[in-house]
């Protein structure tokens, strides 16, 4: 047990290496620093995909390792985006307002500047007052702290309430979904103070960096996203590697037994839930400046379910599986729904992928659940020769998981 | 007992009318012409003059003449069909033969007099003011018209646009009314008009008091203008001749000091305060060599600097001084602020206030009743959407995220049936079993193909059925498009059951309530009284034991799941009747449906009922507190449910003992 956990989990080193190679390759092929093969918008897509991979790692930690199927992690992701978006929008608007007010005869008072920013930002929802939630919007440091704190505290309160009353399994999933729906509906209101369904926009413009072209900016964000993903992966790998990881997997497999062994199951679950919520918040804070806009539709429960889909397709219970799933499915979805995939003529009907991709995705998801519970990650098991026993047919014994007919015949 | 004052007034009026008629008769006897013609000739000059100011007596004379043809004259005159023969100045009504020739008719006999060239005639063109006067005069004839439809129309037109002048004819028309419904309507309208327009204060108060517990919208529409107030300010004390609603103290609850001073400024009784924007404008106008009043422009970026510069400008006589606090206080105390009624009679306003208060209490009670009806209907919608889940999720423990899509499939089945069968009643009758069949088949297929492999892995059932859900949604979108499809309810479900002006409920909601009750009965019957129900309960509680008793668990699971899905399909038809049918129809209900089942208590149909009732009433209650914002209502409801689950994790009605399972 003296060796560093990195050497006990070689997949982590391989993953970090691959991530570094990928980042360098994209940088060298980009518009800003290299050959210009990859367009700026595609660099942004890749950067966003890295953020999605990061939240998939968080999802894998909470679902694949701890067995909590949370359908609310995209809410934390969105909240992270909102928190950083508030600062970006405030400062950016302040730049514009100050520039336009400098033209006037009389220099503006600080209060006038703030009022003008308020009118600019909230004019779209028929207001000009800054709501209370914007109190720290002028401070980058505080908003960055909120990126971590808001999802963290929300997860802490919600998780404490839910785990305390022993809500588990599908009930917890439905409850998290309800939380997400409530949050999305709340943000959809104009008087929530976050611009209702307009959301926060113009986030791709960093304040004070007006003269840096978007091509350079996109690479910076790619680097930041890759760094966050690398650190997040490392943290997750460390969490699941030691004794903590064993307890967490134990909770997934049989919560009652772990409790009877004397572990505080609720504490462990709460820790994982809050940790992953914070990771999701950070991923969101990196994602939305690249997307340029964050609105309540992003938080809708469906997004969190898609997150579960990615992790399941990639292979849950292994961190690289989550990354592969998120990267693969989100990129291929972009390709199919972006209208780039060629139509498939069947003679009597032409399949337009824009219309039919969702169907394929939904059905392939069913297939993966039924026939390949390990997902894409299972391919690596095949390569390394690990095989699960064939377990089909009726149970021979009275309990679940007992030896089965076909096993016995072999 | 002497007649009430307003009847006395009307009697006096009638006496005058009689005298006028007598005089007219004498006139008509003298002339050789018909009575109406001579009456018109008497007023010939005024009629020719056709001025709104002078025409009044003529119209009154016509209207009160008691001549049968007076109505015809007024109608034709109003319709610009009255013509005058230039040769002798006689009045007729005319019909156009061609562009140059008109046929003249006598008012009295309605017989054709002659065909005259247009050049020999003069058309009387009353302006809109005169036509309105004629219209008012005509009301009395319409109110006594032999045709009840016309009488009804006349009442409606008075209701819509009441005038003081309507009161007399309306009173006159009550006595002869035979139709009971119209009589009631006339009497009610008479009371409304009396309350508003009668000259005698006592009559108005009596009429107002008679509305004290009346829920009609018309009563409130009549009373509200009576208590309308206008906020006013005068120098010195409050004038005694005004009907004061209340006096206001500046700085009090109803009137802030700033608002009071703004009123003074608006009334021109005090100099305006100089606000920050004015200061800025003045400063900008007085920039001299980069300084304002000796203060450099660069220092004007805070209020202290601006005040200094402005004070310097005031000192130099370049700007208006802003009134000091002391001046403002003096100005406020030198004036009286009050709300005055537009209505001058205090007795009337007091009675109206009292009547409105008592109506308000009654309206509140009825609104509560109305809200409860709304809540019940919302609860039955949730119950309908959730009852299929109560079977698949509640009884079998299978979490089916595609349940919402089964609801959608049911709704689209109804839509397709309506495309084939145009008769709405028949199509609904066909659609309900068909929707059940379609979704039953879909449910059975899904159970066979997917769910039965996942019975021990509930989280994966959730995800697999979610995959099916997005696939089904997209397929529906590809087939039916993204726009909403109408599912029209049959004609006999249109309209609403109206209890009074406050409480009403549409028939379609009643139908849904009834449908929910039927579903409850069907569910109870199947579960408690049939073989399938018995086997389902057995398989749910202990599949292995059930199998050893000769029950085939596979078959029972399949049928039960199919039943739950089929009920979802029927619910879809019902929901489609009042909601637009789109591919997202199901996902709108899925979270609420799960909430309903979970809140109520899994595995118990009464729990689902209680859950639906709780969520329905809760949502309506929150909406009532903040009616403009249904989004907020949903948000708070979900938050409430999350907290509720903390205290009763197993729902309102929790199963105990062996049936509770884990």
């Amino acid at each position: 047990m003296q060796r560093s956990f990195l050497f006990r989990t070689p997949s982590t080193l391989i993953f970090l290496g691959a991530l570094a190679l990928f980042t360098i390759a994209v940088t060298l092929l980009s518009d800003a620093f290299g050959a210009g093969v990859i367009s700026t918008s595609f660099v942004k897509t890749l950067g966003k995909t890295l953020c999605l991979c990061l939240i998939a790692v968080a999802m894998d930690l909470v679902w694949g390792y701890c067995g909590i199927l949370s359908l609310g992690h995209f809410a934390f992701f969105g909240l992270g985006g909102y928190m950083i978006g508030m600062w970006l929008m405030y400062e950016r608007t302040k730049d514009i307002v100050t520039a336009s007010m400098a033209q006037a005869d009389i220099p503006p008072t600080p209060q006038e500047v703030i009022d003008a920013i308020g009118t600019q930002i909230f004019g779209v929802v028929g207001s000009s007052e800054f709501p209370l939630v914007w109190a720290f919007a002028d401070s980058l440091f505080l908003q960055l702290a909120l990126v971590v704190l808001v999802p963290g505290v929300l997860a802490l309160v919600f998780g404490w309430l839910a785990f305390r009353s022993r809500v588990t399994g599908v009930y917890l999933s439905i409850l998290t979904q309800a939380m997400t729906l409530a949050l999305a509906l709340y943000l959809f209101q104009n008087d929530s103070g976050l611009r209702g369904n307009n959301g926060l926009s113009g986030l791709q413009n960093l304040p004070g960096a007006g003269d840096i072209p978007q091509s350079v900016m996109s690479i910076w964000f790619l680097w930041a996203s890759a760094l966050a993903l690398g650190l997040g992966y490392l943290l997750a790998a460390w969490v699941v590697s030691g004794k903590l990881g064993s307890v967490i997997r134990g909770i997934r497999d049989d919560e009652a037994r772990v409790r009877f062994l004397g572990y505080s199951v609720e504490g462990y679950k709460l820790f994982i839930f809050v940790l992953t919520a914070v990771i999701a918040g950070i991923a969101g804070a990196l994602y939305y400046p690249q997307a340029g806009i964050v609105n309540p539709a992003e938080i809708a429960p469906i997004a969190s379910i898609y997150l579960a889909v990615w992790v399941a397709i990639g292979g849950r219970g292994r961190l690289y599986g989550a990354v592969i799933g998120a990267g693969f499915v989100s990129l291929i979805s972009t390709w199919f729904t972006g209208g780039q995939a060629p139509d498939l003529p069947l003679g009597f009907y032409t399949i337009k992928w824009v219309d039919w991709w969702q169907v394929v995705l939904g059905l392939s998801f069913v297939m993966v659940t039924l026939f390949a519970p390990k997902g894409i990650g299972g391919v690596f098991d095949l390569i390394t020769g690990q095989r699960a026993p064939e377990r089909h047919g009726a149970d021979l014994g009275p309990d679940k998981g007992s030896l089965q007919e076909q096993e016995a015949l072999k | 007992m002497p007649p009430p004052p307003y009847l006395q007034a009307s009697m006096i009026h009638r006496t005058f009318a009689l005298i006028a008629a007598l005089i007219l008769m004498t006139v008509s006897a003298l002339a050789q012409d018909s009575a109406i013609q001579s009456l018109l000739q008497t007023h010939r000059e005024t009629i020719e003059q056709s001025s709104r100011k002078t025409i009044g007596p003529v119209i009154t004379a016509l209207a009160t003449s008691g001549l049968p043809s007076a109505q015809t004259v007024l109608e034709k005159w109003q319709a610009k069909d009255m013509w005058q023969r230039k040769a002798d100045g006689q009045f007729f009504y005319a019909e156009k033969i061609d562009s140059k020739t008109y046929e003249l008719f006598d008012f009295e006999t309605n017989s054709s007099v002659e065909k005259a060239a247009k050049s020999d005639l003069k058309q009387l063109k009353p302006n809109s003011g005169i036509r309105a006067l004629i219209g008012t005069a005509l009301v009395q004839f319409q109110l006594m018209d032999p045709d009840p439809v016309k009488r009804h129309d006349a009442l409606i037109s008075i209701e819509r646009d009441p005038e003081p002048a309507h009161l007399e004819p309306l009173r006159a028309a009550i006595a002869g009314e035979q139709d009971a419904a119209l009589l009631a309507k006339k009497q009610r309208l008479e009371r409304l008009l009396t309350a508003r327009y009668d000259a005698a204060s006592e009559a108005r108060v009596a009429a107002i008091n008679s509305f004290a517990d009346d829920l009609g919208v018309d009563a409130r529409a009549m009373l509200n203008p009576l208590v309308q107030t206008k906020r006013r300010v005068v120098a010195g004390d409050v004038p005694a001749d005004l009907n004061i609603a209340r006096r206001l103290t500046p700085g009090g609850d109803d009137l802030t000091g700033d608002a009071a001073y703004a009123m003074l400024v608006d009334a021109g009784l005090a100099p305006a305060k100089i606000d920050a924007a004015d200061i800025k404008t003045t400063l900008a106008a007085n920039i001299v060599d980069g300084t304002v009043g000796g203060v450099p422009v660069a220092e004007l970026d805070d209020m202290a600097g601006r005040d200094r510069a402005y004070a310097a400008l005031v000192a130099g006589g370049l700007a208006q001084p802003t009134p000091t606090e002391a001046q403002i206080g003096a100005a406020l105390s030198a004036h009286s602020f009050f709300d005055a009624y537009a209505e001058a009679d205090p007795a009337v306003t007091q009675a109206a206030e009292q009547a409105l208060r008592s109506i308000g209490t009654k309206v509140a009670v009825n609104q509560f009743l109305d809200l409860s009806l709304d809540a019940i209907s919302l609860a039955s919608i949730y119950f309908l959407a959730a009852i299929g889940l109560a079977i698949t999720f509640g009884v079998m423990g299978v979490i089916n995220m595609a349940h919402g899509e089964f609801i959608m499939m049911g709704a689209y089945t109804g839509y397709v049936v309506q495309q084939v069968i145009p008769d709405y009643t028949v199509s609904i009758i066909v659609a309900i079993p068909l929707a059940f069949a379609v979704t039953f088949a879909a449910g059975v297929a899904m159970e066979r193909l997917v769910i039965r492999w996942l019975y021990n892995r509930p989280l994966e059932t959730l995800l697999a059925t979610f995959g099916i859900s997005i696939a089904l949604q997209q397929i529906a979108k590809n087939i039916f498009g993204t726009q909403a499809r109408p599912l029209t309810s049959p004609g006999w479900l249109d309209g609403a059951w109206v209890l009074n002006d406050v409480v009403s409920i549409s028939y379609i909601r009643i139908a849904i309530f009834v449908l929910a009750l039927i579903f409850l009965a069907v569910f109870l019957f199947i579960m408690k009284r049939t073989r399938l129900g018995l086997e389902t309960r057995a398989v749910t509680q202990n599949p292995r034991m059930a199998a050893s008793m000769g029950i085939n668990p596979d078959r029972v699971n399949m049928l039960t799941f199919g039943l739950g899905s089929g009920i979802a399909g029927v619910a879809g038809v019902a929901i489609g009747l009042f909601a637009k049918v789109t591919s997202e129809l199901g996902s709108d209900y899925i979270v609420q449906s799960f909430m309903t089942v979970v809140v109520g208590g899994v595995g118990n149909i009464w729990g689902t009922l209680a859950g639906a009732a709780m969520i329905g009433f809760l949502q309506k209650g929150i909406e009532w507190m903040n009616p403009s914002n249904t989004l907020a209502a949903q948000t708070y409801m979900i938050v409430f449910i999350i907290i509720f689950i903390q205290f009763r994790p197993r729902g309102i009605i929790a199963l105990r003992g062996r049936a509770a399972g884990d």
Side-chain angles (χ1 to χ4, degrees), chain B residues 10 26 55 77 90 192 225 284 374 385 455 505 529 544 581 654 662:
Chain B
S10 107
T26 347
I55 205 81
W77 191 7
Q90 299 261 358
L192 282 170
D374 274 1
Y455 271 126
I505 181 162
R529 290 274 180 275
R544 212 161 281 109
V581 183
D662 54 352

Side-chain angles (χ1 to χ4, degrees), chain A residues 73-159:
Chain A
H73 268 59
F74 241 87
F76 303 130
F77 187 80
L79 280 178
Y82 263 104
M83 289 308 131
I84 196 69
M86 279 156 76
W87 177 77
L88 286 170
M89 198 161 181
Y90 183 91
E91 288 298 319
R92 163 101 180 137
T93 314
K94 188 177 177 182
D95 283 355
I96 295 170
V97 164
T98 318
S100 77
M101 282 186 139
Q103 309 297 321
D105 296 328
I106 308 279
T109 62
Q111 189 56 44
E112 279 175 345
V113 172
I114 289 172
D115 289 347
I117 298 172
T119 315
Q120 276 285 326
I121 293 181
F122 299 109
V124 70
V125 290
S127 162
S128 62
E129 298 282 309
F130 270 102
L132 203 61
V133 287
W134 287 72
F136 307 121
D138 56 341
S139 154
L140 174 61
F141 174 75
L142 283 176
Q143 285 299 137
L144 282 179
L146 287 180
V147 164
V148 174
L149 284 177
V150 170
V153 169
L154 179 61
L156 186 70
V157 172
F158 181 86

Side-chain angles (χ1 to χ4, degrees), chain B residues 475-500:
Chain B
I475 289 173
K477 216 176 270 177
N478 292 350
I479 296 175
F480 296 101
T482 45
Q483 74 271 43
R485 299 289 179 176
L487 184 56
T488 318
S489 57
W492 46 270
L493 278 179
D494 289 345
W497 179 51
V498 181
L499 210 61
N500 55 41

Side-chain angles (χ1 to χ4, degrees), chain B residues 105-258:
Chain B
F105 293 89
D106 186 58
F107 284 118
E108 186 93 12
T109 57
N110 281 329
S111 55
S112 172
V113 177
E114 64 163 340
K115 287 179 186 153
K118 193 183 178 187
S119 53
D120 295 336
L121 300 171
K122 183 168 173 269
Q123 188 184 11
L124 292 163
K125 294 178 182 167
N127 60 29
S128 63
I130 295 176
R131 285 206 306 279
L133 286 178
I134 299 174
T136 310
L138 269 172
V139 160
Q140 63 160 317
F141 296 106
Q142 288 159 354
L143 283 174
M144 290 196 270
D145 199 283
D147 184 359
V149 176
K150 279 197 179 159
R151 295 205 296 273
H152 185 258
D153 289 349
L155 286 173
I156 296 288
S157 83
I158 296 179
E159 234 170 36
R160 205 170 293 151
D161 191 14
E163 279 177 36
H166 290 148
L167 193 52
E168 280 314 315
L170 184 60
R171 278 175 184 159
I174 287 177
E177 183 59 58
Q178 301 294 321
D179 186 319
L182 279 178
L183 181 64
K185 211 167 163 61
K186 278 183 178 177
Q187 281 168 337
R188 181 178 174 83
L189 196 56
E190 192 268 339
R191 281 193 294 143
L192 282 170
L193 291 183
T194 304
R196 201 155 159 191
Y197 297 123
D198 198 286
S201 175
E202 295 80 14
R204 297 182 66 184
V205 171
I208 288 170
N209 286 339
S210 74
F211 284 105
D213 54 356
D214 197 307
L215 282 176
V217 175
D218 52 351
R220 272 171 282 161
M222 178 275 293
L223 289 171
N224 277 323
L226 291 183
V227 297
Q228 228 159 38
T229 58
K230 198 170 174 234
R231 188 151 290 189
R232 292 178 57 184
V233 55
V234 291
D237 213 11
V238 178
D241 57 334
L242 285 176
N243 183 5
I244 306 293
R246 62 186 161 274
R247 289 156 197 274
L248 302 162
T249 340
D253 289 340
D254 295 330
L255 185 67
T256 63
D258 283 349

Side-chain angles (χ1 to χ4, degrees), chain A residues 5 10 38 77 87 112 117 122 156 196 198 202 301 309 313 338 345 353 380-381:
Chain A
F5 87 95
I38 300 178
F77 187 80
W87 177 77
E112 279 175 345
I117 298 172
F122 299 109
L156 186 70
N198 306 288
V309 172
I313 288 183
W353 286 114
F380 293 93
D381 283 356

